[in-house]
Amino acid sequence: MRFKHLPTINAKQTLIEVEGLASSATILHLTDAHLNETDIRKDKTIFMNSIKDYGFDALETRKQFETALTDANEKRYDFVVLTGDIINGATAGNLDYLETKLQELRSPYLYTLGNHDWEYPLQPWNEATRAEQYPKFNSFTNDSPAYQASLFNGINLLTIDNSTYQITKEQLHFTKKQLANGLPTLLFIHIPIYIPGLLPDVMKQWGAPIMMAAEGWDKSLQSQWKVAETTAETTAFYHLLLNNPHHNLIGIFCGHVHFAHTDAFGKGSYQYVTSPGFAGGYRLIHLLPKT
Ligand SMILES: [Fe+2]
């Protein structure tokens, strides 16, 4: 398969030529809106125990999110993909708001979770809490919060929830199977895959290598961040993406670290980290037929 990543002059635009596309298309990638819409009528206890706002202004984050969705409708973008931390906690208020806003979208969309989507007051941040919170996201994820695939314009759009920094056996199996179908594929995840070239900026911003399969963790810092040792499945997933055995993984799109970054990755792929929605960030992925 032939595809080509073309250079662009700003981080909000990505241009990729793909052989065999019937027509050009634009996907809006949104990540890290960090919305706080807690409804005190429904969430009194939760409100009292507080979902942290992490310093994000609720009115501002809402304004940025609604502007992006309105733009998607007005410009008639073909698809929208949301890659996590769209809300801070699956409170009733946040979920109601999300449902209302996503229902207003004219285009199809995919949603994968970030570590803040499923956090919950008084609950520990771990896989058990994620599993408990997962059903709340069924309506946004086609009843499959852990992984999804959607065929769009001849391109396979995959989402994998890697928001615990790990990949499950089922997710690994799913990804292998999807890549083996040979279709041109875009992968959407929350946490960036470790790339040495991304490390300095991540360290500068966070003081810790908060990427999937990252190298260079200080052990006590790793435990503070609650990041477990990379599992065998996560390592296998990392090598699968890196080796790109069917030459059809075109790009990886993610967020989490709250700045934009572009890097070549593995055999022919690129990893695009998109700037956060709370600060007006987004990425338009333009797919063009390759002549
Ligand atoms: Fe975030």
Side-chain angles (χ1 to χ4, degrees):
M1 173 174 310
R2 290 194 305 157
F3 51 85
K4 190 175 180 187
H5 295 257
L6 301 173
T8 57
I9 55 165
N10 78 61
K12 289 184 172 174
Q13 308 281 340
T14 291
L15 263 178
I16 310 172
E17 288 183 334
V18 183
E19 192 180 56
L21 276 194
S23 57
S24 56
T26 298
I27 299 170
L28 171 64
H29 176 212
L30 287 176
T31 194
D32 298 275
H34 286 277
L35 297 157
N36 275 302
E37 300 287 340
T38 302
D39 181 340
I40 55 170
R41 289 165 304 171
K42 292 181 183 171
D43 282 323
K44 192 168 71 181
T45 315
I46 296 308
F47 188 80
M48 288 163 70
N49 286 291
S50 179
I51 287 276
K52 282 189 203 161
D53 65 12
Y54 302 98
F56 301 121
D57 182 298
L59 294 180
E60 182 61 23
T61 55
R62 189 192 303 162
K63 188 177 90 186
Q64 297 293 352
F65 188 63
E66 291 180 3
T67 300
L69 297 192
T70 301
D71 200 50
N73 284 342
E74 285 179 355
K75 305 260 175 63
R76 298 187 178 274
Y77 298 141
D78 302 286
F79 212 105
V80 175
V81 186
L82 304 106
T83 59
D85 284 8
I86 301 302
I87 53 177
N88 286 340
T91 60
N94 272 339
L95 293 169
D96 283 353
Y97 174 80
L98 202 52
E99 191 172 4
T100 305
K101 288 295 135 193
L102 293 179
Q103 273 174 0
E104 288 170 10
L105 264 182
R106 288 185 187 165
S107 71
Y109 73 87
L110 283 170
Y111 191 108
T112 187
L113 282 72
N115 46 302
H116 287 293
D117 285 291
W118 52 263
E119 68 176 339
Y120 212 70
L122 310 178
Q123 302 288 324
W125 190 83
N126 59 28
E127 290 206 19
T129 296
R130 180 174 69 169
E132 204 176 288
Q133 297 292 315
Y134 255 174
K136 293 180 176 180
F137 292 88
N138 279 346
S139 61
F140 311 121
T141 59
N142 303 303
D143 293 328
S144 182
Y147 51 83
Q148 299 170 76
S150 183
L151 190 59
F152 159 69
N153 201 35
I155 304 251
N156 203 15
L157 306 180
L158 299 186
T159 67
I160 299 285
D161 175 4
N162 71 342
S163 61
T164 60
Y165 293 81
Q166 307 291 354
I167 295 295
T168 64
K169 202 187 286 181
E170 291 76 21
Q171 288 175 317
L172 175 63
H173 176 73
F174 173 80
T175 311
K176 274 185 187 165
K177 215 170 131 193
Q178 289 295 325
L179 288 175
N181 70 19
L183 288 165
T185 300
L186 305 183
L187 173 65
F188 294 87
I189 52 180
H190 180 63
I191 297 181
I193 310 282
Y194 171 71
I195 293 178
L198 179 56
L199 182 64
D201 284 355
V202 173
M203 291 303 288
K204 195 171 146 198
Q205 177 96 356
W206 297 96
I210 53 167
M211 295 164 284
M212 204 190 81
E215 291 173 13
W217 272 106
D218 167 87
K219 291 290 170 207
S220 70
L221 202 56
Q222 188 170 3
S223 121
Q224 278 171 39
W225 279 87
K226 301 189 181 77
V227 176
E229 287 300 321
T230 303
T231 64
E233 286 80 13
T234 304
T235 303
F237 180 79
Y238 171 73
H239 287 293
L240 175 68
L241 303 185
L242 203 62
N243 293 330
N244 202 2
H246 308 284
H247 312 289
N248 58 337
L249 177 63
I250 296 174
I252 300 165
F253 297 85
C254 50
H256 185 56
V257 293
H258 298 176
F259 59 82
H261 203 274
T262 299
D263 263 310
F265 176 78
K267 295 185 179 162
S269 302
Y270 269 72
Q271 176 166 264
Y272 294 98
V273 185
T274 295
S275 58
F278 68 77
Y282 60 87
R283 185 181 296 279
L284 292 173
I285 308 163
H286 303 286
L287 302 166
L288 309 169
K290 186 166 169 52
T291 48

